[in-house]
Amino acid sequence: RMIEAYTRLHHEGYAHSIEAWDGADLAGGLYGVSLGRAFFGESMFSHVPDSSKLCFYVLHDRLLELGFHMIDCQMYTPHLESLGASLVSREEYMEMLRRALKHPTITGHWATLRNMRSPR
């Protein structure tokens, strides 16, 4: 059922994946859901060392271009901390989420979007 749910969210423009390929082979990636200007990471994976880190870097850069406020990593881990994640209090999180959800959700294929940055 999860595959069906994410497939539907992808077709509706809410779920996004960032992938690293080595020729025809999937090296690694991550996926998650965006709402407003918040991205909720669901999972990262790698078949080749550091490929998920590369995907996270690309995602982070793209989200900055699009004016996103936050990436919710769900779990605070040393791996995510090495990528720049920081632990926030529930109050901080709720405020960040409130600000992010004030914006409309950018749906569709993000690679085709340009200059979508909005005021924070």
Side-chain angles (χ1 to χ4, degrees):
R1 296 207 182 243
M2 286 299 292
I3 292 172
E4 293 169 6
Y6 269 90
T7 299
R8 182 175 177 189
L9 287 170
H10 174 71
H11 288 298
E12 292 176 0
Y14 295 96
H16 302 275
S17 67
I18 295 81
E19 303 146 9
W21 291 85
D22 183 8
D25 298 322
L26 183 59
L30 60 92
Y31 67 95
V33 173
S34 71
L35 293 173
R37 294 299 188 273
F39 185 84
F40 303 89
E42 182 61 30
S43 185
M44 296 175 75
F45 65 94
S46 59
H47 302 294
V48 174
D50 297 327
S51 58
S52 65
K53 288 181 183 178
L54 174 64
C55 291
F56 186 82
Y57 174 80
V58 170
L59 170 68
H60 178 265
D61 193 51
R62 189 66 179 130
L63 294 179
L64 284 177
E65 288 176 9
L66 295 173
F68 273 61
H69 295 254
M70 62 184 274
I71 299 172
D72 181 341
C73 299
Q74 296 184 18
M75 300 288 293
Y76 185 71
T77 66
H79 174 70
L80 293 172
E81 182 180 32
S82 76
L83 299 175
S86 60
L87 191 59
V88 298
S89 70
R90 178 174 173 74
E91 293 78 24
E92 290 173 290
Y93 177 84
M94 295 306 292
E95 178 59 24
M96 292 167 65
L97 185 60
R98 184 190 64 74
R99 284 194 326 258
L101 294 178
K102 282 184 174 182
H103 300 272
T105 299
I106 301 170
T107 58
H109 197 282
W110 289 347
T112 61
L113 302 174
R114 298 288 180 250
N115 301 319
M116 293 292 297
R117 191 171 197 123
S118 63
R120 294 183 180 243

